[in-house]
Amino acid sequence: MLGHFNSIIAMAANAAKQTKLPMAATDSPNLTNDENGPKKTTFQSSKATSVATNCAPRTNIPDLKWLGLYYVIYIGAGTLSFFALRNHIRGKKTNDFIDSLYMSVVTMTTVGYGDLVPHDFLSQLVCTGFITVGMLLFGIVVKLAAKYLVFKQQKVLINALHTARKMGPMEALNEIESIEIDYTKCIISLIAMAVHFVIGIFVLVTVEGMEIEDAVYCACTTMTTVGFGDESFSSEFGRTFGVLWIFTGTSCLGQLFLYVAEVYTDIEAKKLVKWVIASNIIDKTDFEAADNLEKGKVHGAADFILYKLKEMRKIKKEDISCAMKDVGVDDRSVFDVIPAQSSEKK
């Protein structure tokens, strides 16, 4: 048991080194109520140190830069392809370059109005390849989002363990209980989405000449990437604005979903941290006594409870021997391997 929790702390400390958290400067202590007790280095904790070096979370901020570069190249290649195939695309056209850029963004964001569509095999083949690559890039975005959420959960756990080491488990639990979930990002994202929505409606009414109800309908189908196509941008300025509005709008929507997932992750991380710290609220000497039995054999919870009852002089071996023999269980337990100790602490 002691080796198990030493392994947890060792992994947390090495993870903190990778993430540059405050805990990185400390050793790998036992998370117990006895802050002044002697520290014990075990084989498990030494092994966990090398394992943690490979398993510790790492932040790859350059991934975002590369992802942005991929999308720039992706949109650029799509725009040039659609521009070269402009005569193979049917629909209401304005400026060839703006229409090509507009079609690239509409396709990439999966809005797909249908106001500009390929109408022969070559253009359909290029469009199919463009869509496939776009889905692969979307997979990278999902990977980064998942990586961010997992890293944040690990960071919360590491910081909580560090707090428990400094303040004590009970104080750490009270501290964690008092922490409130931050909904600020979600609220700001919702406000940004509302402002973005209103701006889009304004342009659709003033530039595209839509009725207010049609503009709201078009903005809603665009932001949700449904894009029925019965209402869309049809003027040169409208499509120029639409390129930026559609791209930023769908990005804001995705960011809102990320923040909602982040709030849920914070709630679950709080529960996990409370469980981990609560499971460590036991004296270190008790773990050492239970962990050093029979040349390193670790006994179960029932054996440990029997040992504590014997130490407190609440039970004797004879009290349960008969009952254990009746059910056909070997009565050899921690009574035979742990010497009686006084329960009084100095």
Side-chain angles (χ1 to χ4, degrees), residues 2 6 9 28-32 34 38-40 165 284 288:
L2 179 61
N6 277 336
I9 303 302
S28 299
N30 298 322
L31 184 57
T32 65
D34 188 3
K39 296 180 181 179
K40 179 181 177 183
R165 185 194 66 84
K284 180 181 70 174
E288 290 176 347

Side-chain angles (χ1 to χ4, degrees), residues 26-82:
T26 65
D27 293 329
S28 299
N30 298 322
L31 184 57
T32 65
N33 289 333
D34 188 3
E35 292 293 332
N36 298 321
K39 296 180 181 179
K40 179 181 177 183
T41 302
T42 64
F43 172 76
Q44 290 94 334
S45 61
S46 300
K47 184 177 180 181
T49 301
S50 60
V51 174
T53 304
N54 298 323
C55 297
R58 296 179 176 85
T59 51
N60 293 326
I61 301 301
D63 283 349
L64 297 177
K65 297 180 181 179
W66 283 109
L67 182 63
L69 179 61
Y70 292 155
Y71 270 107
V72 170
I73 295 175
Y74 173 72
I75 294 176
T79 301
L80 293 177
S81 299
F82 290 134

Side-chain angles (χ1 to χ4, degrees), residues 124-345:
Q124 290 174 350
L125 182 63
V126 171
C127 193
T128 300
F130 186 73
I131 293 171
T132 303
V133 175
M135 291 296 99
L136 294 177
L137 290 178
F138 179 73
I140 297 177
V141 174
V142 174
K143 185 201 80 168
L144 291 177
K147 187 177 181 180
Y148 165 74
L149 294 176
V150 171
F151 171 77
K152 182 173 182 181
Q153 189 176 44
Q154 292 174 336
K155 181 179 177 181
V156 170
L157 179 59
I158 292 170
N159 286 334
L161 292 173
H162 179 58
T163 302
R165 185 194 66 84
K166 292 179 62 178
M167 302 172 57
M170 291 303 300
E171 292 78 5
L173 281 176
N174 294 333
E175 187 75 16
I176 293 169
E177 190 66 34
S178 63
I179 296 176
E180 296 182 356
I181 303 299
D182 187 11
Y183 296 92
T184 305
K185 291 181 180 179
C186 287
I187 295 174
I188 293 176
S189 185
L190 280 172
I191 295 174
M193 281 292 299
V195 173
H196 192 274
F197 194 76
V198 171
I199 293 174
I201 293 174
F202 176 78
V203 172
L204 288 170
V205 171
T206 57
V207 176
E208 297 296 332
M210 295 184 186
E211 298 293 332
I212 184 66
E213 59 272 15
D214 293 335
V216 172
Y217 167 76
C218 180
C220 183
T221 56
T222 301
M223 289 300 95
T224 56
T225 71
V226 174
F228 288 119
D230 49 346
E231 299 289 350
S232 62
F233 296 94
S234 57
S235 65
E236 184 175 335
F237 177 82
R239 287 183 174 176
T240 303
F241 168 80
V243 167
L244 296 175
W245 186 72
I246 295 171
F247 183 79
T248 56
T250 51
S251 299
C252 287
L253 183 63
Q255 197 167 26
L256 175 60
F257 290 155
L258 174 63
Y259 290 152
V260 171
E262 184 177 1
V263 167
Y264 179 76
T265 301
D266 289 342
I267 295 174
E268 293 301 314
K270 186 176 179 180
K271 294 179 182 178
L272 175 63
V273 166
K274 289 170 63 178
W275 177 83
V276 170
I277 294 179
S279 66
N280 285 274
I281 301 179
I282 189 165
D283 289 342
K284 180 181 70 174
T285 55
D286 294 339
F287 278 122
E288 290 176 347
D291 206 35
N292 291 327
L293 308 180
E294 296 185 330
K295 299 181 180 180
K297 179 180 177 182
V298 178
H299 287 254
D303 288 335
F304 186 74
I305 291 172
L306 291 176
Y307 159 68
K308 291 301 296 180
L309 289 174
K310 179 190 176 186
E311 184 188 38
M312 297 169 64
R313 302 184 187 279
K314 300 293 185 181
I315 194 172
K316 295 180 181 180
K317 181 177 181 180
E318 293 76 12
D319 295 334
I320 62 169
S321 294
C322 294
M324 295 179 72
K325 289 179 180 179
D326 290 341
V327 295
V329 177
D330 185 6
D331 65 348
R332 185 174 179 274
S333 65
V334 289
F335 286 130
D336 300 320
V337 290
I338 301 182
Q341 300 178 13
S342 175
S343 60
E344 297 179 358
K345 297 184 180 179

